Amino acid sequence: MKSTRFLYSNGVVSNSSDVPPVATFLESVPGAYTTTRTHENGTTLLFWERHLKRLSNSARILVNSSPHLIFKANRKNPSFFPPLSISSSLKWETRIRSLVRNSLNHVLPIALEERSNGEELAVTALISGDLEKLKAVGNVANDDGVFQFLDVHLHIGSYVPPVFGIEENGAHLALVGRGRDISDAKYSDWVRLRKPLEKLRPHSVTELLLSNDGDRILEGCITNFFVICQIDKSEAEGKYLNDYDNAYSVEVQTAPISDGVLPGVIRQLVIEVCHIKGIPVREVAPSWERHQLWEEAFVTNSLRVLQHVETIQVPHPWESLESKCLEGISWTEKKFQESRRSPLILFVFCFYDVLLEEQKAIMERASMEGHWLKESV
């Protein structure tokens, strides 16, 4: 790309060297956000409709319950955030989608034109609130007026997807902190809140895991966490939606949303694929005490999609994290051997089969609607 980053904000497209990295951008602007990337040489955005739905849900949750996470501080009265009550109406979701799509149509064609052939793009959409606009709106409960205090920002940068299965591309994880607050919404202030955890990152670790008790693993700081675990038949009996007739000796485990994890787009897709392909899946937080039963582990997010795990480190004892000093922590490590990766490879093939089918359907709809993607095929 001639310019590695683009930013669309307040109706202006910037593509200069002044556009910050996405983490810096998110840390500087409060709001609800979502990130995805283009796929197959920029011809489509991965699961964009799902991302827009979650973005609208995140914005509604923050506006209703935690307005300080979506509004910029008011210098005159920084602690003042008017109480709001936005329903989960279809109109709210429709208008959020419209705001984001209108912004995307201004900047994405430019980024696609500037990128190098074969290069993918990482796309972050952020919804933030403007207190001054909010005060000027008489009745925020009005379906049309409620959107007048929202701003849309789009950050776009180049992205090189990792190649699955190569050992050096595997994830190395370490358990370093407690679960996040307001986990059902994806908000930009989490970039700042997770910074203290970085002080506990061991050398060569690529992602940090979260747990509230040191045993049940919830998620990563920027990923959802899965294990492929040997089935304990006595424990698993009656836990599945379907009867798998003992066809599998393993099950997929991931923490449920009710435990306080982000409702990741790829997380939900993995669960759907398991159901479609008849793979046993159970929404239960993987227990470190039973890690000897783990055959595989992987993490998911919308940029990496699915990344296998090479190693996991857990502090021993869990309380040693209270020292907040890396040098004072002893670690227990689990390694996943390359020769034991076959169950995950089979799962990945199943996953991408379903992924490509959904993307095909999206492309067909885009072509019928005359969407911008049609021009970039």
Side-chain angles (χ1 to χ4, degrees):
M1 291 175 66
K2 299 174 183 178
S3 176
T4 57
R5 304 186 191 105
F6 293 81
L7 180 64
Y8 179 82
S9 183
N10 296 321
V12 177
V13 177
S14 301
N15 64 339
S16 67
S17 58
D18 295 332
V19 176
V22 66
T24 304
F25 163 69
L26 289 173
E27 194 173 356
S28 65
V29 183
Y33 80 99
T34 192
T35 297
T36 188
R37 64 175 173 86
T38 60
H39 179 59
E40 293 188 333
N41 195 22
T43 57
T44 188
L45 285 171
L46 278 179
F47 311 114
W48 186 233
E49 292 300 314
R50 294 176 183 248
H51 279 279
L52 288 177
K53 183 177 181 65
R54 187 184 61 180
L55 177 62
S56 66
N57 286 338
S58 294
R60 177 180 54 82
I61 290 168
L62 296 182
V63 166
N64 286 341
S65 65
S66 304
H68 64 286
L69 293 176
I70 198 168
F71 287 101
K72 295 180 181 179
N74 188 320
R75 292 183 180 179
K76 296 180 180 179
N77 192 356
S79 63
F80 172 71
F81 295 99
L84 299 172
S85 179
I86 307 300
S87 68
S88 57
S89 66
L90 178 60
K91 189 165 187 177
W92 166 264
E93 182 177 323
T94 301
R95 290 297 296 272
I96 291 292
R97 288 169 178 260
S98 178
L99 287 172
V100 175
R101 282 172 173 164
N102 288 341
S103 298
L104 193 67
N105 286 337
H106 281 89
V107 63
L108 190 54
I110 298 173
L112 288 169
E113 180 69 23
E114 292 290 328
R115 72 187 178 92
S116 302
N117 185 48
E119 189 174 50
E120 302 295 352
L121 301 174
V123 179
T124 296
L126 183 141
I127 300 288
S128 64
D130 188 312
L131 273 177
E132 296 303 317
K133 290 181 180 179
L134 176 59
K135 289 193 298 184
V137 176
N139 179 15
V140 296
N142 179 277
D143 282 341
D144 294 318
V146 72
F147 300 98
Q148 296 177 24
F149 62 82
L150 297 178
D151 291 326
V152 178
H153 309 268
L154 268 297
H155 186 286
I156 299 178
S158 58
Y159 181 74
V160 179
V163 178
F164 177 81
I166 298 177
E167 185 171 354
E168 54 265 30
N169 285 346
H172 297 271
L173 315 179
L175 186 61
V176 298
R178 299 182 63 83
R180 69 181 84 192
D181 294 327
I182 321 175
S183 59
D184 51 352
K186 191 175 179 71
Y187 54 93
S188 58
D189 200 42
W190 175 242
V191 176
R192 177 186 63 82
L193 293 173
R194 68 176 186 245
K195 274 191 171 182
L197 300 178
E198 292 294 331
K199 298 178 181 179
L200 303 178
R201 181 191 292 268
H203 177 68
S204 77
V205 163
T206 58
E207 169 64 323
L208 304 177
L209 294 174
L210 307 174
S211 171
N212 288 330
D213 59 9
D215 176 43
R216 294 171 297 172
I217 299 179
L218 300 174
E219 60 183 340
C221 280
I222 58 173
T223 61
N224 287 112
F225 176 71
F226 292 79
V227 301
I228 297 179
C229 183
Q230 296 174 27
I231 291 178
D232 183 328
K233 298 258 186 336
S234 62
E235 178 181 310
E237 186 176 358
K239 298 289 187 180
Y240 304 113
L241 296 179
N242 300 301
D243 181 5
Y244 298 107
D245 297 324
N246 296 321
Y248 292 87
S249 61
V250 295
E251 65 180 4
V252 177
Q253 296 180 355
T254 192
I257 298 298
S258 59
D259 275 4
V261 302
L262 183 74
V265 169
I266 305 300
R267 174 192 178 278
Q268 181 59 35
L269 277 164
V270 168
I271 293 171
E272 291 177 16
V273 169
C274 286
H275 291 321
I276 291 170
K277 297 296 183 178
I279 299 171
V281 58
R282 195 152 56 103
E283 291 187 70
V284 59
S287 170
W288 177 253
E289 290 184 357
R290 309 181 73 180
H291 70 268
Q292 296 87 351
L293 299 177
W294 297 355
E295 296 279 346
E296 312 278 356
F298 60 94
V299 291
T300 62
N301 69 17
S302 292
L303 291 182
R304 307 180 194 187
V305 183
L306 188 150
Q307 183 181 31
H308 65 275
V309 171
E310 298 289 344
T311 62
I312 300 177
Q313 297 181 58
V314 170
H316 181 75
W318 166 249
E319 291 74 19
S320 63
L321 288 179
E322 296 176 1
S323 68
K324 296 181 172 55
C325 176
L326 180 60
E327 290 72 19
I329 301 174
S330 297
W331 301 91
T332 301
E333 184 179 71
K334 178 176 178 64
K335 295 182 178 180
F336 295 94
Q337 301 299 322
E338 184 175 1
S339 61
R340 300 176 62 192
R341 201 174 294 150
S342 56
L344 181 54
I345 289 176
L346 291 174
F347 178 79
V348 170
F349 285 146
C350 292
F351 181 82
Y352 274 96
D353 182 40
V354 174
L355 181 152
L356 293 174
E357 285 298 316
E358 179 160 332
Q359 290 309 307
K360 180 180 178 181
I362 291 173
M363 287 297 296
E364 290 174 351
R365 289 200 304 272
S367 179
M368 292 175 61
E369 297 170 1
H371 195 266
W372 58 265
L373 289 173
K374 180 181 178 181
E375 300 179 359
S376 62
V377 174

